[in-house]
Amino acid sequence: MVPHLVTALTGPLLDLEKKILAATPAIERWFRMEWQEHTPPFYCSVDLRNAGYKLAPVDTNLFPGGFNNLATEMLPLSVQAAMAAIDKYCPDARNLLMIPESHTRNPYYLQNVARLMQIFRQTGLHVRLGTLDPEITQPTPLALPDGNMLVVEPLVRLNNGRRLGLKDFDPCTILLNNDLSAGIPDILQNIHEQSLLPPLHAGWALRRKSNHFAAYDEVAKKFGKMIDVDPWMLNPFHSKCSDINFQEGEGEDCLAANVDVLLAKIRKKYKEYGIKEKPFVIVKPDAGTYGMGIMTVKDASEVRDLTRKQRNKMSVIKDGKVVTDVIIQEGVPTFESIKEAVAEPVVYMIDRYVVGGFYRVHAERGVDQNLNAPGSQFVPLAFAQQHAVPDLKAKPGTAAPNRFYVYGVVARLALLAASLEMERTDPNPEVY
C-alpha cells in the first residue's frame, strides 16, 4: 500500500519506532485509561511531519474535510467508528443533520460531504444537509463530479425555537462540517436539546491553536516519560504573539523576539542530537485553516523586513478574517517523498479510532514549506489495515505497518490533546 514512498527513517526516529513498538501494550492501555477520563472529539484529522529525527503533529483539524481521499478499504472501519461515536451522544438516533461549509461549490469538498453521508447512512441514520448560506431559501441541488447530486436545504428552528432542523426533519444529532471561521451564526446559538458536534467552541471563531499545543505539551511529556523518550521527538516547540497588525507593522518586535528565542531552543536540540539541518520556524494565524497566512522564517530579521505582498498575504485569511494573533511553531522538515514530490502524512480519526489517512503531496514545495496549498495532491493509504497490527519481527524502519502504527499513535496523542483543549476552553462546562 505504500506508493513508492521514500522515507529517511534514521537515527532517533528508528529509536522512537523501536520504543513505541516495544511499549505497544502499555501504550494501548494508557490510551484506554485516558479515554475513560476524557471524551475524544467526534472526528479529527492530524497533519504530521516526519523529519527522520522527529515525528510531530503540526496541525489538528476538528472539522476535517478530505474523507473522500481515504482509501475505500477504510469504509467499514469508518462506519464502525461512526457507530461508536453516535452511540455516545444519541443511542436511539434516527436522523442526523449535517451542516457543511457555506458558499462552496468545490467539487472535492462536496465529495467529502458525500462520503461522510455515506458513512453515516451505513450506521442506520437518515442524513440530510442544512446550510448556513442565507441565499439558499429552498432545497438546492449541487452536482458532484461522479454525476450524483447533493441537496442542501435552509436551516429552521423547530419546536418554538428550541430545536434546529429542516422544514420536515427533526434530527437528534447535528454534525458540523463547517469550521465557523466567519463567526457563530445566531441560528446555532442556544441549542440545548440536541447534540451539536463538534461543540461551537471547537470552531475558529473561538478556538486557538496555542491552546491546543499547550495541551499537547502536557500529553507529549506524559507519553515521553512512559516510553522513555525525549518529548521533543514528538513535539514542536511553539510560542504566540497577540495584537499583531501586519499591514501597520505592529507587534513585529514581539514576533522577532519570539522567533529568536525559538530558533535558539531548536539549535540547542539540534546540537544535542547532532542534527546538521538549518532550523526554521513557521508563523501562522492562531485561528484558522486552509493553509492561509503561513510563512517559513529562518531568521528574526525576516519578520521585520516583510514586503507589501507578504504583509497582504499574512494579514487576511479565510472569510476575510484579519489576523491579530499568531502562533510561532518549530518547523519540522518532511523527509518523505512520493515520485520526488515532497509528502506529509495526514491521519483521520472518528471518535478514538484511526480510520485511515493519506499523503498530502506537493511537487512545487520544499521540505520546509507548508504543503496545504493550491497544487497539492492526495495519495490514499489504507493506514488502518496495517496500523492496528504492527510487525514486531521486522527490523526498525523497514516495515510500513510499523510506521503507520507509529503515525497512528502520534495522531492519537494530538486527538487526546484536542479533548483536553475542548474541556478547558468550554464556555459552559456545567451544560454537559
Side-chain angles (χ1 to χ4, degrees):
M1 286 308 299
V2 185
H4 317 298
L5 182 68
V6 181
T7 291
L9 266 189
T10 55
L13 203 59
L14 289 183
D15 191 42
L16 179 69
E17 183 184 291
K18 231 185 299 187
K19 284 189 165 158
I20 285 180
L21 290 171
T24 296
I27 289 169
E28 294 305 330
R29 180 176 183 276
W30 180 75
F31 273 123
R32 266 205 328 274
M33 306 309 281
E34 290 292 335
W35 295 131
Q36 285 174 20
E37 300 290 318
H38 307 287
T39 303
F42 186 80
Y43 53 7
C44 175
S45 68
V46 177
D47 296 359
L48 297 173
R49 300 281 283 214
N50 172 359
Y53 53 83
K54 80 184 284 176
L55 172 66
V58 292
D59 222 348
T60 301
N61 185 358
L62 297 180
F63 298 87
F67 275 91
N68 53 308
N69 296 318
L70 302 187
T72 44
E73 301 95 300
M74 295 295 92
L75 270 177
L77 203 64
S78 301
V79 170
Q80 283 178 320
M83 280 180 177
I86 288 284
D87 274 352
K88 278 186 187 167
Y89 296 98
C90 193
D92 57 351
R94 181 176 298 157
N95 294 338
L96 175 77
L97 174 64
M98 202 169 132
I99 302 178
E101 291 285 346
S102 310
H103 314 291
T104 184
R105 296 285 189 273
N106 179 328
Y108 299 110
Y109 175 72
L110 295 177
Q111 282 172 306
N112 154 71
V113 173
R115 172 62 66 87
L116 278 169
M117 290 178 78
Q118 183 187 5
I119 289 168
F120 288 107
R121 280 193 178 126
Q122 287 296 120
T123 69
L125 291 168
H126 295 288
V127 188
R128 283 169 62 180
L129 299 175
T131 179
L132 294 166
D133 189 339
E135 287 149 30
I136 291 182
T137 53
Q138 58 194 39
T140 303
L142 302 175
L144 291 171
D146 61 7
N148 287 323
M149 285 282 181
L150 293 177
V151 176
V152 291
E153 305 177 59
L155 293 169
V156 289
R157 287 305 276 251
L158 311 164
N159 210 354
N160 294 330
R162 292 205 309 274
R163 297 173 70 85
L164 179 67
L166 305 174
K167 190 176 163 199
D168 53 354
F169 187 74
D170 186 357
C172 161
T173 308
I174 300 153
L175 180 64
L176 283 174
N177 197 245
N178 179 316
D179 63 22
L180 305 178
S181 292
I184 300 172
D186 288 345
I187 199 160
L188 294 184
Q189 306 272 16
N190 302 313
I191 295 172
H192 301 307
E193 292 184 7
Q194 295 154 296
S195 298
L196 182 63
L197 304 167
L200 292 179
H201 66 286
W204 288 123
L206 298 171
R207 186 178 177 222
R208 296 293 174 267
K209 292 173 192 176
S210 49
N211 290 334
H212 175 74
F213 281 100
Y216 187 79
D217 285 345
E218 291 171 42
V219 170
K221 271 193 194 112
K222 209 167 161 185
F223 183 79
K225 194 173 174 187
M226 177 178 70
I227 66 162
D228 187 31
V229 299
D230 179 349
W232 176 76
M233 298 271 180
L234 302 157
N235 191 6
F237 290 135
H238 70 96
S239 58
K240 63 176 272 194
C241 281
S242 304
D243 304 320
I244 299 273
N245 183 325
F246 281 105
Q247 294 290 18
E248 305 295 326
E250 288 165 18
E252 280 179 7
D253 290 342
C254 171
L255 206 48
N258 274 280
V259 167
D260 255 345
V261 169
L262 226 48
L263 286 171
K265 278 172 81 174
I266 302 166
R267 269 186 220 106
K268 198 173 162 192
K269 278 292 181 191
Y270 279 14
K271 196 173 171 190
E272 184 184 331
Y273 288 104
I275 296 161
K276 301 284 185 271
E277 306 288 324
K278 186 174 171 59
F280 65 98
V281 296
I282 299 290
V283 178
K284 55 188 176 183
D286 203 9
T289 181
Y290 281 88
M292 296 173 82
I294 295 178
M295 64 180 171
T296 301
V297 177
K298 293 179 180 170
D299 189 273
S301 63
E302 294 171 36
V303 296
R304 285 207 168 92
D305 307 329
L306 294 179
T307 63
R308 176 148 297 287
K309 187 179 173 189
Q310 285 170 314
R311 287 182 192 284
N312 290 343
K313 184 187 135 187
M314 291 300 293
S315 59
V316 178
I317 52 167
K318 186 184 167 205
D319 291 329
K321 286 283 163 199
V322 176
V323 175
T324 56
D325 302 282
V326 295
I327 181 169
I328 304 108
Q329 192 178 55
E330 174 187 347
V332 183
T334 175
F335 275 75
E336 297 192 287
S337 61
I338 292 176
K339 293 183 182 163
E340 296 179 13
V342 176
E344 66 186 10
V346 186
V347 178
Y348 276 64
M349 288 155 287
I350 295 177
D351 197 62
R352 61 196 175 105
Y353 306 100
V354 173
V355 297
F358 53 79
Y359 275 95
R360 183 184 284 124
V361 184
H362 206 304
E364 286 146 37
R365 291 280 165 128
V367 296
D368 59 355
Q369 288 179 302
N370 161 47
L371 303 187
N372 186 2
S376 60
Q377 293 173 307
F378 306 99
V379 179
L381 285 164
F383 264 63
Q385 240 169 312
Q386 326 173 26
H387 129 267
V389 190
D391 177 358
L392 298 176
K393 293 193 186 77
K395 273 190 181 153
T398 60
N402 295 359
R403 187 169 340 127
F404 298 148
Y405 176 72
V406 173
Y407 286 167
V409 167
V410 177
R412 285 182 288 161
L413 294 176
L415 183 75
L416 179 57
S419 83
L420 297 177
E421 170 203 1
M422 288 297 100
E423 284 166 25
R424 289 168 188 175
T425 55
D426 191 339
N428 320 301
E430 71 286 348
V431 172
Y432 299 102

